[in-house]
Amino acid sequence: NKAKMVVDKDFTIGEVDKRIYGSFIEHLGRAVYGGIYEPGHSSADEQGFRGDVLELIRGIDVPIVRYPGGNFVSGYNWEDGVGPVESRPSRLELAWRTVEPNLFGLNEFADWCRKAGTEAMMAVNLGTRGPEEARQLVEYANHPSGTYWSDLRAQHGYKEPHHIKTWCLGNEMDGPWQIGAKTAAEYGRIATETAKVMKWVDPSLELVACGSSNLGMPTFPEWEATVLDLCYDHVDYISLHTYYGNRDKDSANFLAQSMGMDSFINTVISTADYIQAKKRGKKKINLSFDEWNVWYHSNDADRQIEPWTVAPPQLEDIYNLEDALLVGCMLISILKRADRVKMACIAQLVNVIAPIMTANGGAAWKQTIYYPYMHASIFGRGTALVPLIHSPKYDAKDYTDVPYLEAVAVHNEEQSEVTIFAVNRNLTESLPLDIDLRSFGSFTLIEHIVLEHDDLKAANTLETPDRVAPHPNGSAVVTGSTVEALLGKASWNVIRLK
Ligand code: AHR
């Protein structure tokens, strides 16, 4: 019952675009207020940005952050969030039934991104608004000067343009829950017209069209085909979103769900390529998996929240070990299609279904899912290599032939390093693993990091922030170009070789 993996430096999947390690901040719950922004907090800087949170974010090296939504963006007037703070309106926010005070907006976000060492990915409102407001926003954000909107930005204290390159054309427009939801044909048309004027203002933009809100939508994948048929010439990416849960308390089935993510990605690639063929087009539409994570723990608590308050504790999932294992499997799914998935955002970054949690006025800490996300972002840059895997398998409720071993390798040519990310899905037994890296010559082991715990449900909290944390004492032994390791039951493993 051994697993075997063969890795060859010539069997490449593709260059890893660092933007697959992106994340997401929405005006939702305590993501902004009490999360990244809390004037008066002991660690806050002169702009009210929490320094403790910035430090945890820098620890992951997040390359891009999507903003300001999510469902929020479909009712958002971006102008409410710029200019003197005292004149900004408070608004009823219909997506999440809160009050939005608009103390934080585009310019604050651009400043925050600089401090976090990240890049902004903006979304425009295609729910209640359209091409006119989107082109004005691009002019405000990116045009140098000498026009109404660019000069207004300068008046607001931002002479230099923000140079925001990546933009989402709305959010989940196929979802009946979305403010201003649309049919595929309605959305395809408005996305096209919006894309045209945005790119006329700034031809360097890269645009993401909305794909289906998830694999289970009744219009998937016809939605992708219709939308791309209409806007193929004007967009660069199609989005994918998915969230998984363990509502049935069936952990073996829960961990198998990344197989659904694999097939979601493959179907969207096929659909995009079908439209390319139909258009006789040269351009490949790549994928932006701009919302993915585990999300279910907080569903009941969210139903108890009073509506119309500012920054209530919404979507505050407390993650356990098994959640971190599935997040690891999902990162591996994304890396396995590094040739086509060029952006991805774990949703979200702080407090709202997030790797980082805070207490208002108190500490910030790392959830279990922080670790696989950090490891992949820090060590998973370079070229993704095809994982040829022979593994014992199991059958789960919704998936058959689930390999106990989920793994991928990344070759960082600059550092002459290879990193293997591996999850053992077996909940009760360790998995012996042989890795054959025959084309690489001899390696030495840098480290074998392991995230594991006796209790699958163990979580980190304000009181016990380090209950689940990685250790460097994995069992990997390297002989020449082969690695032998025993992967602990239910474990996330990072085997680093040089
Ligand atoms: O990330 C939380 C929400 O999930 C987003 O606002 C929405 O796009 C998705 O349904």
Side-chain angles (χ1 to χ4, degrees), residues 78 191 334:
W78 67 267
I334 292 168

Side-chain angles (χ1 to χ4, degrees), residues 24 26 28 66 70-72 96 171-172 177-178 241 243 291 295 315 347-348 352-353:
F24 179 25
E26 177 166 3
L28 158 56
R66 184 165 175 255
N71 298 340
F72 169 82
W96 301 105
N171 176 72
E172 296 190 347
W177 59 86
Q178 202 67 212
H241 292 180
Y243 295 100
E291 286 189 33
W295 172 15
L315 280 62
Q348 300 191 12
V352 171
I353 43 174

Side-chain angles (χ1 to χ4, degrees), residues 21-246:
Y21 303 119
S23 190
F24 179 25
I25 289 284
E26 177 166 3
H27 281 252
L28 158 56
R30 298 189 307 120
V32 173
Y33 307 109
I36 60 173
Y37 173 84
E38 192 179 353
H41 187 272
S42 57
S43 75
D45 67 8
E46 67 298 343
Q47 289 187 281
F49 302 157
R50 280 185 67 150
D52 54 353
V53 172
L54 278 170
E55 199 180 310
L56 291 177
I57 292 170
R58 286 192 211 104
I60 304 169
D61 193 0
V62 180
I64 193 163
V65 178
R66 184 165 175 255
Y67 173 86
N71 298 340
F72 169 82
V73 81
S74 297
Y76 183 49
N77 298 340
W78 67 267
E79 306 89 324
D80 291 347
V82 297
V85 173
E86 51 298 352
S87 13
R88 297 187 196 172
S90 282
R91 300 263 188 211
L92 274 191
E93 201 293 281
L94 299 187
W96 301 105
R97 294 169 62 78
T98 60
V99 170
E100 170 54 52
N102 284 305
L103 305 174
F104 187 101
L106 166 64
N107 293 317
E108 288 81 18
F109 183 64
D111 284 340
W112 179 85
C113 282
R114 272 185 286 278
K115 291 180 180 173
T118 193
E119 190 189 305
M121 175 193 212
M122 287 293 294
V124 299
N125 174 355
L126 292 187
T128 57
R129 308 186 106 190
E132 177 63 0
E133 295 85 357
R135 81 170 175 89
Q136 292 172 355
L137 171 53
V138 175
E139 184 180 323
Y140 181 95
N142 285 7
H143 193 70
S145 64
T147 64
Y148 176 80
W149 292 104
S150 57
D151 289 347
L152 187 63
R153 182 193 68 238
Q155 266 176 46
H156 291 160
Y158 294 82
K159 191 162 172 302
E160 291 306 316
H162 296 311
H163 298 298
I164 300 171
K165 283 273 167 290
T166 316
W167 296 73
C168 303
L169 298 166
N171 176 72
E172 296 190 347
M173 299 308 303
D174 60 333
W177 59 86
Q178 202 67 212
I179 305 169
K182 299 188 166 36
T183 64
E186 287 166 348
Y187 172 69
R189 286 292 305 129
I190 198 171
T192 299
E193 295 307 321
T194 306
K196 276 163 54 183
V197 291
M198 288 172 76
K199 283 194 175 176
W200 286 343
V201 175
D202 182 349
S204 71
L205 300 189
E206 291 204 316
L207 301 180
V208 185
C210 288
S212 299
S213 297
N214 59 69
L215 187 58
M217 295 301 287
T219 46
F220 174 77
E222 192 52 44
W223 171 277
E224 280 73 3
T226 307
V227 166
L228 287 178
D229 206 2
L230 288 163
C231 63
Y232 173 84
D233 288 332
H234 305 281
V235 305
D236 308 283
Y237 302 89
I238 183 94
S239 74
L240 298 84
H241 292 180
T242 203
Y243 295 100
Y244 293 121
N246 188 7

